[in-house]
Amino acid sequence: MKDRLTIIVEFKCVFLLLVYDDKFARQHSFLLPRKELIMAQIPQPTVTEILQFMTHDGLEIYKRSGSSAPFQERVQYKRLLKSLRYQKGVVFVSPSKEKLTEGKGYIITSYETLHQKYNKLTHWTPNVFRGGTYYDFKARIIKGHTKDNLKQINVIGFDIDTKKVHPYDMVLACDELELPRPNLILETPNGYQGFFVLETPFFIHAQEDYKALRVAERLATNILQGLKKYLPIDLGCAPFGFYRIPNDGNVILFDDQPANTADLLSWSKEFEVKERKNNLRVIYNTSNASALDLTSSEWYSALLRATQIKSGYHGSSRNNHLLTLAIANYASDKAFEDAYNELDQFNSNIIHPLSKREFERTLRSAYSGKYKGPKRSYVEGLLELWTDGNAKFIGHEGWYKFKKPREERVRSHYEEREDDIIQYLEGCISPEKPFFTGSLRELAESFRMAVSTLKEVLKRSNRLIKQVVGSGRNASTMLTTKMMLFRSLLHQRKLQIKHSQMTFQAFLCEEYQLPAPFLLPNLDAAIKEIEGVIFGSVERNGTSPPIRYIS
């Protein structure tokens, strides 16, 4: 293919492939001088590449029938498939949430089909299954997306059903937990979804009672419980089930460096040890002694996943189940709206859901203030009746150290000063103008603190970014937050997309001169450089096949 030159152009988030072939050009009399052609290497991957990266090449490349690929290539590929030790798998997809709720969808076996259909789909299973069929082929009622039919687990996903959270909050949460940052963040109609793509998948088989599956589930549970401490994670979402499918308009962030599976397993073990040893807790006063995060406990997650709940069980019915979960949210100081969103999803998942009126009445009762916290006997009864019994109730045992409220103390902690600065900045800066500028003395007066205190807060802070311009008396300090800088980068990214769309026609008229390549924002580079808005590049090295099994 020495005569062929490929040019990739992004237009409206779609990568157009323009192929220049000398032989074809000579036949059609539009040969351009080679010196006027350029090779554009745009590091941003296509959606199809993202799908292939997430599934670890677990599907076939071409359709089994009706493929538009050259015949010789398909013949060679079939020979390659026969030489492989293991067969490729399938993924399940659905064209809408409504269809998925009805159990309707399709089974896809190739990346060629995914490439043609992804913009017409809303949900898919990023983890690959061994095979699939239909309960009703004519109605497209899919069958086979069960845990015991999983072929390999490539992805651990999480769902957030609110847009009050910013995507950078997910990055900060992972940094706090010492987890790798998500490889992919998608925007959904009601929130966001994030995904960790494993470097080495878990290959599922029936040996040792599906040990690989149990290890993967335990890892996913620990990751979700850890993130739950910082983000409103929907624990009712099946970790290896259906998620939103990437398309040309919903990809917020993408990083093609997969998460090291061995490192994640080590993190998971350390996380469990820390959770077991976490008996010394800091709370504000005895009247608020129930303000522990019960929603991150194993028993809460187990009750949230239960779907077979029925009415008529004294003390363990649907109402009591919902009331217990709601009280756990109230006792953990969760906002009523957050609890409503999470438990509304839980109520929708159970086989016989409560009516909206009864659901809301139960939640209002839990948040009325007459309950201190969930009662052990009720929780243990629910666990015994509606779960596998592995999760145990853990209440408020342990030693407590009490901290006075801030208004009763003479001095404020540096973390509280940092929060004060961030709260003030949020009212003064924006994605268009991300920096608040002034001398240190002027800034200290604005924040109502001493200059020495401000210096110490900025020195300790990992959420604030400072840049000094000039020197001496003419020095000016530019201050912003990591969150706002991130929003500014996304804002600039949208402007660049808009500019590319507006100039696309003009570009075609200028002898194939490409505009500046569109790159994903590299936050770390931007924070390091700080000067202006910086966009970094993402190199595509591809995904190599796994070299070992995890069991």
Side-chain angles (χ1 to χ4, degrees):
M1 302 294 279
K2 294 181 180 179
D3 297 330
R4 179 163 292 189
L5 184 64
T6 303
I7 300 175
I8 304 175
V9 182
E10 187 193 54
F11 175 59
K12 291 186 178 178
C13 298
V14 178
F15 288 81
L16 305 179
L17 197 63
L18 308 179
V19 178
Y20 174 71
D21 190 302
D22 280 355
K23 182 178 180 181
F24 181 82
R26 285 191 293 269
Q27 292 174 353
H28 292 78
S29 302
F30 68 92
L31 181 62
L32 296 174
R34 180 170 294 277
K35 64 181 180 179
E36 295 184 10
L37 296 173
I38 55 176
M39 184 68 172
Q41 297 179 345
I42 297 181
Q44 167 140 333
T46 63
V47 173
T48 304
E49 288 177 317
I50 294 176
L51 298 175
Q52 192 170 0
F53 171 74
M54 295 180 71
T55 52
H56 266 285
D57 300 320
L59 308 181
E60 296 180 13
I61 294 178
Y62 305 119
K63 292 180 181 179
R64 294 176 181 174
S65 62
S67 174
S68 59
F71 176 75
Q72 189 62 32
E73 290 185 13
R74 283 183 283 138
V75 171
Q76 292 178 356
Y77 185 68
K78 285 183 179 180
R79 291 174 183 169
L80 175 64
L81 289 178
K82 290 180 180 179
S83 67
L84 295 178
R85 183 179 178 185
Y86 300 99
Q87 293 182 346
K88 300 289 185 177
V90 305
V91 293
F92 295 84
V93 300
S94 186
S96 68
K97 189 172 183 178
E98 293 71 23
K99 295 289 186 182
L100 181 61
T101 304
E102 298 172 1
K104 296 181 179 180
Y106 304 91
I107 300 166
I108 288 183
T109 61
S110 70
Y111 293 110
E112 184 180 4
T113 305
L114 272 181
H115 175 70
Q116 296 172 349
K117 301 289 187 182
Y118 69 81
N119 267 329
K120 299 177 183 178
L121 304 171
T122 60
H123 293 77
W124 77 317
T125 56
N127 293 300
V128 179
F129 291 80
R130 297 184 182 280
T133 184
Y134 297 91
Y135 287 106
D136 186 337
F137 181 80
K138 191 172 182 179
R140 289 290 189 262
I141 307 297
I142 50 179
K143 177 183 179 181
H145 47 94
T146 55
K147 290 192 298 184
D148 57 351
N149 191 39
L150 277 166
K151 179 179 181 292
Q152 62 191 64
I153 294 174
N154 313 300
V155 171
I156 295 175
F158 59 89
D159 183 39
I160 297 176
D161 286 328
T162 176
K163 290 198 174 180
K164 293 181 180 179
V165 174
H166 191 272
Y168 188 50
D169 290 333
M170 306 175 204
V171 175
L172 290 177
C174 292
D175 288 349
E176 287 291 328
L177 291 166
E178 297 181 348
L179 279 170
R181 294 177 177 180
N183 293 98
L184 180 69
I185 296 178
L186 301 180
E187 184 175 13
T188 67
N190 298 316
Y192 301 95
Q193 288 184 350
F195 303 90
F196 299 95
V197 180
L198 303 177
E199 185 177 28
T200 307
F202 289 91
F203 292 89
I204 309 303
H205 46 77
Q207 298 176 12
E208 298 185 42
D209 192 22
Y210 294 95
K211 181 180 178 181
L213 176 59
R214 289 186 282 111
V215 172
E217 286 182 320
R218 190 166 183 175
L219 172 61
T221 298
N222 287 338
I223 290 176
L224 295 180
Q225 286 183 353
L227 292 174
K228 181 71 175 177
K229 296 180 179 180
Y230 302 93
L231 302 168
I233 299 293
D234 178 11
L235 295 178
C237 183
F240 308 132
F242 280 88
Y243 285 91
R244 291 279 173 174
I245 188 169
N247 59 44
D248 291 327
N250 66 356
V251 177
I252 299 294
L253 286 176
F254 176 70
D255 180 7
D256 67 349
Q257 182 61 44
N260 186 281
T261 311
D263 290 346
L264 282 178
L265 290 173
S266 298
W267 176 91
S268 180
K269 293 177 182 178
E270 293 176 2
F271 176 80
E272 290 182 353
V273 171
K274 290 178 182 178
E275 289 297 291
R276 285 195 296 266
K277 291 183 177 180
N278 191 23
N279 290 326
L280 179 61
R281 307 173 188 243
V282 180
I283 57 180
Y284 277 91
N285 52 48
T286 53
S287 63
N288 198 26
S290 61
L292 306 175
D293 193 3
L294 301 175
T295 60
S296 296
S297 61
E298 290 187 17
W299 64 262
Y300 180 88
S301 300
L303 292 182
L304 201 63
R305 290 193 298 266
T307 59
Q308 306 292 331
I309 309 163
K310 302 177 182 178
S311 59
Y313 288 83
H314 178 70
S316 300
S317 63
R318 297 171 301 170
N319 294 70
N320 293 94
H321 199 110
L322 176 64
L323 181 64
T324 301
L325 293 174
I327 292 174
N329 277 271
Y330 173 75
S332 302
D333 279 349
K334 301 296 181 182
F336 180 85
E337 293 179 355
D338 294 338
Y340 187 103
N341 292 334
E342 182 172 74
L343 298 181
D344 182 41
Q345 182 67 42
F346 158 77
N347 188 49
S348 302
N349 290 337
I350 62 178
I351 296 178
H352 304 289
L354 292 169
S355 66
K356 182 179 179 181
R357 181 179 178 182
E358 185 66 17
F359 170 81
E360 292 179 347
R361 186 193 68 80
T362 304
L363 250 67
R364 285 195 298 270
S365 176
Y367 273 73
S368 64
K370 58 185 178 182
Y371 299 101
K372 298 287 186 182
K375 193 175 181 180
R376 175 187 290 272
S377 58
Y378 278 104
V379 174
E380 290 179 343
L382 293 169
L383 290 172
E384 181 178 356
L385 188 59
W386 304 120
T387 71
D388 56 13
N390 291 329
K392 303 298 181 183
F393 175 80
I394 299 177
H396 299 156
E397 294 85 6
W399 297 96
Y400 299 91
K401 178 181 178 182
F402 300 101
K403 181 170 65 176
K404 291 182 179 179
R406 186 177 182 181
E407 57 270 16
E408 296 181 12
R409 288 183 272 118
V410 176
R411 297 175 181 268
S412 296
H413 296 289
Y414 285 110
E415 295 83 0
E416 294 168 337
R417 293 290 194 183
E418 182 186 40
D419 292 336
D420 292 341
I421 295 174
I422 292 175
Q423 184 177 1
Y424 185 92
L425 289 176
E426 287 176 350
C428 304
I429 57 180
S430 66
E432 295 81 7
K433 296 182 179 180
F435 289 100
F436 184 66
T437 306
S439 66
L440 270 180
R441 187 172 298 279
E442 290 171 344
L443 293 178
E445 290 176 357
S446 299
F447 303 144
R448 296 182 179 180
M449 63 181 68
V451 175
S452 58
T453 302
L454 175 59
K455 289 182 178 179
E456 188 63 28
V457 172
L458 294 178
K459 181 180 178 181
R460 298 188 182 200
S461 176
N462 60 1
R463 293 187 290 166
L464 293 170
I465 299 171
K466 181 190 74 169
Q467 177 71 11
V468 179
V469 179
S471 59
R473 294 183 178 181
N474 296 323
S476 179
T477 301
M478 301 170 62
L479 198 61
T480 188
T481 64
K482 285 186 177 180
M483 173 76 74
M484 188 55 68
L485 181 59
F486 190 78
R487 291 178 178 174
S488 179
L489 293 176
L490 293 181
H491 173 71
Q492 293 296 328
R493 176 189 177 191
K494 292 178 180 178
L495 291 180
Q496 194 174 15
I497 293 174
K498 185 177 180 181
H499 176 73
S500 297
Q501 295 172 354
M502 293 173 62
T503 59
F504 183 70
Q505 292 298 331
F507 152 69
L508 287 179
C509 299
E510 294 178 2
E511 297 184 341
Y512 298 92
Q513 293 298 316
L514 289 177
F518 170 73
L519 310 179
L520 286 173
N522 186 319
L523 181 62
D524 290 332
I527 292 175
K528 184 178 180 180
E529 299 292 341
I530 287 301
E531 298 174 353
V533 177
I534 299 169
F535 288 84
S537 63
V538 180
E539 297 181 359
R540 287 290 297 163
N541 296 323
T543 307
S544 58
I547 58 175
R548 66 179 184 279
Y549 293 98
I550 293 181
S551 60

